[in-house]
Structure formats: C-alpha cells, structure tokens
Amino acid sequence: MSPVLPLPVTPADRASCVATDVLRRVGEKWSVLILAVLRERPYGFNELDRTVHGLSRRILTRTLRGLEADGLVSRRETPERVEYALTDLGRSLLPLVIAIGEWAVEHADELRRASV
C-alpha cells in the first residue's frame, strides 16, 4: 500500500487531491516561466508581454488569471499600470519547480534516449 495514496486510486481520490491542481498549474506551458520571471521583481503586464516571446497576450492574461486564482501571483493596479508579483505562496513553490528543472537538465541525455 502506498504511504501517500490509498490504493486503488479512484477518480474521486484524484479529484480531491490538492496536488493534482498544483501539478496541473505547473504543468501548463507558460506558468512556470511566468513564475520564474516574477522571481526577481514585480512586472507590469506590457513588460511581461515583451519579456516572454511567443506568448500571446490572450494566453498571458489567462495564465496570470490562473496563477492569481491559485494564490501564486498577486495583481495590483496603479494609475500607471497593472503590476504582477509573486505571493509568498508562489515564492515558496519556486524551489520545488527549480529542483524539477535541475533534475531535467541533469538527466537530459537519459530523457532524450528514452523518448526515441
């Protein structure tokens, strides 16, 4: 028996697992990249748009809204712009995401061989 999950794993188990939602969010194409960019400092929307090439404004908006809904990013309106920043919760997720990236770099050759 798994110490983390009751076996067998039912659809209800998966649906009620909070890790599923987190993994779904960090598994999105742009979420981790946006979190990494915001690691250094808050950014305005247009600044983010210029910083992340290949990301449409529509998808940037959707990604930011999702990250905000999950409590990972905050949105603040000023007279000059709308500013996005990591929350403490978002900042606490970064070391885990970075660890996955480091693992991927360390095992890149093995991963490439396995996918052939």
Side-chain angles (χ1 to χ4, degrees), residues 57-91:
R57 293 174 71 84
R58 183 175 72 77
I59 298 299
L60 176 58
T61 299
R62 195 169 85 195
T63 301
L64 288 166
R65 284 182 182 157
L67 291 168
E68 184 183 6
D70 289 343
L72 302 173
V73 167
S74 66
R75 179 182 189 273
R76 185 173 69 107
E77 291 187 39
T78 68
E80 299 83 39
R81 67 184 191 166
V82 175
E83 188 173 86
Y84 294 90
L86 282 183
T87 62
D88 289 340
L89 186 62
R91 197 165 296 287

Side-chain angles (χ1 to χ4, degrees), residues 1-99:
M1 175 175 252
S2 168
V4 178
L5 295 172
L7 298 178
V9 179
T10 67
D13 293 331
R14 282 195 347 262
S16 67
C17 178
V18 294
T20 299
D21 292 334
V22 173
L23 292 171
R24 188 175 295 121
R25 175 68 58 212
V26 299
E28 288 180 351
K29 184 174 181 177
W30 299 105
S31 292
V32 171
L33 182 59
I34 296 298
L35 291 174
V37 169
L38 292 175
R39 178 178 71 183
E40 297 302 319
R41 62 177 177 82
Y43 276 76
F45 181 86
N46 290 328
E47 245 184 324
L48 282 170
D49 185 42
R50 288 188 303 271
T51 300
V52 182
H53 296 233
L55 173 59
S56 72
R57 293 174 71 84
R58 183 175 72 77
I59 298 299
L60 176 58
T61 299
R62 195 169 85 195
T63 301
L64 288 166
R65 284 182 182 157
L67 291 168
E68 184 183 6
D70 289 343
L72 302 173
V73 167
S74 66
R75 179 182 189 273
R76 185 173 69 107
E77 291 187 39
T78 68
E80 299 83 39
R81 67 184 191 166
V82 175
E83 188 173 86
Y84 294 90
L86 282 183
T87 62
D88 289 340
L89 186 62
R91 197 165 296 287
S92 73
L93 179 61
L94 275 179
L96 303 171
V97 171
I98 290 167

